[in-house]
């Protein structure tokens, strides 16, 4: 088997950290208790391990290709996608009214991780479709929702997100695609979109493009952007697939990784205009797109965790198998499997601790999303919304940056064979690189964290989270165990470093923005490190308790304690140095004059 879903760890995160029992008390989620979670995860694991994962390597070797405007995906993808739709996996988190299963994000997030561990290139199609469904649920009319959402949930049609243009990447204010209003209330769209994931493919009958464009005469900048639905095939009167629309794929990109995922250049309106429908109101497109982007940003964070998990599993298997050198402690007489060497153990522990820490952080954030959306108490909704919004750039930014480090270690564990394509370790490394770029680069996530999530409320949300962390520190300090004490000390130092950085960002945000933003990515990394470490500290507390009571799987719980302790010693311990770089090193970032580069 090339991938075994970490169902036990996922259920542990849901039950003990995200407190699924509380999520299942929220009206609408009554069916989503632990039994449901276990059944869904086991079924999901089976599907991904046996159907999707075996296609991962194939996709790298036989990427999607373009010919005469059409894209043929990797052999096997089309059939796997049919099974994905029929299995109901696209609708997991979407409303029952549209054919979905209405499950909370707390459970859905784990399924997204599995799909992406199995095959990131394949998973991108459902990921973008989820975003399109989300945007229509938020801003579409009941007619639009009825026309498009059930077909996307069933897997008959898929969705895309069309933001990027050659001159408009991070800066969407520069979008130039044009929409001309028509007498019948529709619009005709003209322009070029680049880098559109699954912008053309052969896995579904229709593709629902959500497109950012400017209505003729709209204001400049972000306030003049509207959102449109432009289906590849226009809808016939009965809602089925009708005539071909004027949107065409003129090429797809040749990429470093995720080669099976077609990244399309789409040309709108070269033959008279692509027919589109407005979503919501004119000029509010970016606002709606942000809803879709937030869902997608979280999901991209899960992609980071997913590829890190896959890379870790492969590295462990190789380290058990590859025999090289005598262990320094003499525990084996001759050459031994490399897993005996302390440095290989350090690499594997780093990979494991990062992955488990980020998973714990992401699943906890998912529970906050569920409460923010459906909890009956408005105050609880508000608090959870603030927490979730703070976490989105961390789940996206930190988990994807860590996936770069983890997959690089995955190559390193393999030695020379890691650099050779046939082991597959290099594919994870190449695939992971896109994650820090699309859906907003790490810098864009960090700008969001500094501006909207920290400076705007004067650091209030950040400090409220720090107070919750202090409670965990106290619980650790009260424990009579070396692991808890050691982790408590690291957590405390990291939390103090975080609070100092928050104060620095708030103080400098307006007065000295270059100083505040010079440390934006390091601040994101410090905050992500702290949040992941905090969740592992909570995990350690639970694991020790269960071990003392003789409950649960002792080997799993002991490994959790060891991994959390490692996280504290080796990863959380970096937080104070990051604080120094941000607070004391801000000026040196911009000291060199532009013409000196
Ligand atoms: C494989 C792939 C799939 C994609 N899929 C889609 C898709 O489905 N739909 C879609 O619309 N787009 C998609 N994209 C586009 C992607 O979202 C953009 O590439 C990304 O947002 C970055 O924009 P850019 O490439 O223009 O880089 P730029 O914006 O030119 O950024 C270049 C560098 O400048 C930095 N930078 C820019 N602005 C700032 C700032 N304000 N502060 C600090 N640093 C800054 C960036 O962090 C980066 O390091 C995809 C891209 C790729 C490669």
């Amino acid at each position: 088997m090339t991938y075994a879903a970490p169902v036990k760890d996922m259920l542990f995160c849901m039950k003990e950290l995200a407190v699924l029992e509380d999520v299942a008390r929220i009206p609408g989620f009554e069916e989503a208790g632990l039994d449901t979670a276990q059944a869904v995860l086991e079924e999901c694991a089976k599907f991904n391990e046996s159907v999707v994962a075996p296609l991962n390597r194939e996709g790298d070797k036989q990427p999607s290709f373009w010919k005469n405007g059409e894209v043929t995906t990797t052999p096997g993808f089309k059939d796997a996608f049919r099974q994905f739709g029929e299995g109901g996996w696209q609708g997991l988190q979407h409303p029952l009214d549209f054919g979905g299963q209405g499950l909370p994000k707390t459970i859905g997030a784990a399924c997204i991780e599995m799909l992406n561990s199995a095959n990131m290139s394949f998973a991108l199609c459902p990921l973008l479709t989820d975003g399109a469904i989300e945007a229509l649920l938020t801003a579409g009319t009941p007619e639009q929702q009825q026309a498009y959402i059930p077909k996307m949930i069933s897997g008959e049609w898929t969705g895309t997100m069309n933001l990027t243009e050659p001159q408009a990447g991070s800066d969407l204010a520069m979008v130039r695609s044009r929409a001309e209003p028509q007498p019948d209330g529709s619009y005709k769209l003209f322009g070029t979109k680049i880098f559109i994931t699954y912008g053309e493919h052969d896995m579904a009958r229709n593709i629902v493009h959500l497109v950012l464009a400017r209505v003729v005469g709209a204001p400049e900048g972000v306030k003049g952007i509207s959102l449109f639905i432009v289906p590849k095939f226009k809808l016939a009167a009965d809602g089925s697939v009708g005539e071909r629309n004027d949107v065409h794929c003129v090429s797809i990109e040749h990429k470093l990784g995720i080669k099976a995922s077609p990244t399309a250049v789409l040309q709108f309106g070269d033959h008279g205009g692509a027919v589109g429908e407005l979503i919501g109101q004119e000029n509010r497109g970016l606002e709606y797109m942000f809803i879709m982007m937030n869902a997608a940003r979280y999901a991209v964070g899960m992609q980071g965790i997913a590829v890190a998990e896959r890379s870790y599993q492969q590295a462990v298997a190789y380290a058990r198998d590859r025999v090289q050198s005598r262990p320094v402690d003499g525990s084996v007489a001759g050459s031994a499997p490399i897993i005996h060497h302390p440095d290989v153990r350090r690499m594997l522990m780093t990979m494991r601790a990062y992955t488990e820490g980020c998973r714990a952080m992401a699943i906890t954030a998912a529970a906050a999303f569920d409460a923010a959306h459906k909890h009956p108490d408005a105050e609880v909704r508000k608090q959870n919304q603030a927490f979730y919004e703070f976490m989105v750039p961390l789940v996206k930014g930190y988990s994807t940056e860590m996936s770069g480090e983890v997959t690089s270690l995955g190559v390193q564990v393999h030695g020379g064979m890691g650099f050779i394509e046939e082991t597959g370790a290099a594919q994870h490394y190449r695939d992971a690189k896109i994650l820090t770029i699309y859906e907003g680069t790490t810098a864009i996530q960090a700008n969001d964290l500094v501006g909207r999530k920290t400076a705007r409320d004067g650091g209030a949300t950040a400090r409220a989270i720090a107070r919750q962390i202090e409670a965990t520190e106290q619980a650790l300090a009260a424990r009579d165990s070396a692991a808890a004490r050691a982790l408590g000390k690291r957590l405390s130092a990291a939390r103090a470093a975080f609070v100092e950085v928050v104060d620095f960002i708030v103080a400098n945000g307006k007065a000295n923005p270059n100083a505040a933003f010079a440390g934006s990515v390091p601040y994101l990394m410090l905050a992500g490190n702290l949040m992941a470490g905090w969740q592992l500290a909570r995990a350690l507390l639970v694991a020790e308790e269960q071990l003392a009571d003789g409950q649960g799987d002792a080997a799993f719980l002991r490994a959790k304690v060891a991994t959390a302790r490692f996280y504290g010693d080796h990863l959380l311990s970096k937080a104070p140095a990051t604080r120094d770089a941000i607070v004391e090193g801000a000026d040196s970032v911009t000291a060199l004059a532009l013409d000196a580069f």
Side-chain angles (χ1 to χ4, degrees), residues 128 161-164 168-171 194-197 255 258 263 434 437-444 447:
L128 270 306
M161 179 156 149
N162 287 244
L163 288 69
T164 309
S170 300
D171 185 1
I194 62 165
F195 295 161
I196 306 309
T197 298
K255 309 192 294 290
I258 52 161
T263 306
I434 188 58
I437 297 172
Y438 63 23
E439 287 308 333
T441 61
T442 309
I444 297 303
N447 288 352

Side-chain angles (χ1 to χ4, degrees), residues 382-458:
K382 195 172 141 207
Q383 278 170 9
N384 279 283
Q385 184 66 24
F387 179 77
Y388 179 71
E389 286 187 3
F390 192 85
M391 297 304 290
V392 168
L394 306 185
V395 171
K396 201 295 186 177
Y398 184 67
S399 307
T400 62
E401 289 287 343
M402 79 85 190
S403 77
E405 204 174 323
V406 168
T407 54
S408 169
L409 286 170
V411 171
Q412 191 71 14
V413 169
H414 284 73
M417 286 310 287
F419 203 70
I420 307 299
E421 289 291 357
E422 72 199 48
T423 59
Q427 184 189 346
H428 305 315
Y429 181 54
R430 290 185 286 98
D431 283 353
K433 187 55 227 169
I434 188 58
L435 303 176
T436 61
I437 297 172
Y438 63 23
E439 287 308 333
T441 61
T442 309
I444 297 303
Q445 309 303 319
N447 288 352
D448 178 45
L449 180 68
V450 167
R452 270 189 289 271
K453 312 290 164 68
T454 305
R456 190 150 80 182
D457 70 1

Side-chain angles (χ1 to χ4, degrees), residues 45-56:
K46 225 184 289 168
F47 173 68
N48 285 301
E49 288 167 357
S50 62
V51 177
V52 187
L55 296 171
N56 192 46

Side-chain angles (χ1 to χ4, degrees), residues 175-341:
V175 160
R176 280 208 295 255
S177 289
R178 185 174 97 246
E180 294 180 356
Q182 302 299 305
D184 65 355
S186 72
Y187 291 76
K188 279 196 171 168
L189 276 86
F190 303 86
T192 304
K193 293 285 178 181
I194 62 165
F195 295 161
I196 306 309
T197 298
Y198 279 92
E200 178 60 38
H201 63 84
D202 59 356
M203 293 175 359
R205 187 71 186 88
N206 203 1
I207 303 176
V208 183
H209 300 295
L210 295 202
V211 186
L212 286 185
R214 279 176 200 287
V215 177
V216 176
E220 288 293 302
V222 290
K223 295 212 162 69
I225 297 175
S226 305
L227 182 62
F228 298 89
I229 312 174
V230 183
K232 174 179 167 184
F233 290 97
K234 292 181 248 181
L235 306 200
D238 65 356
S240 63
V241 167
E243 276 172 36
R244 187 74 169 80
N245 205 350
D246 185 10
V247 44
H248 297 277
C249 173
V250 294
S251 64
I252 62 171
E253 308 296 344
H254 299 279
K255 309 192 294 290
L256 176 69
I258 52 161
K259 294 187 182 210
S261 163
T263 306
V265 178
L266 294 182
Q267 200 61 37
F268 292 81
D270 276 5
H271 308 279
V275 176
E277 289 177 53
L278 180 70
I279 302 183
Q281 295 169 12
E282 277 186 11
N283 301 332
R284 290 184 63 190
L286 210 58
E287 196 184 308
Y288 306 141
M289 204 53 139
F290 256 105
I291 296 155
M292 184 166 167
M293 279 197 280
N294 267 331
R297 283 176 175 183
Y298 179 91
V300 173
M302 291 310 304
Q303 292 192 295
I305 297 162
V307 71
E309 173 67 35
R310 181 99 188 236
S311 171
Y312 167 72
Q313 289 190 15
Q314 189 167 338
V316 170
Y318 190 79
R320 285 192 199 291
D321 192 50
R322 170 73 173 163
V323 174
Q324 203 72 191
S325 311
R326 273 180 62 178
V328 284
D329 65 359
S331 55
V332 176
S335 296
I338 59 171
I339 197 164
H340 284 267
H341 304 308

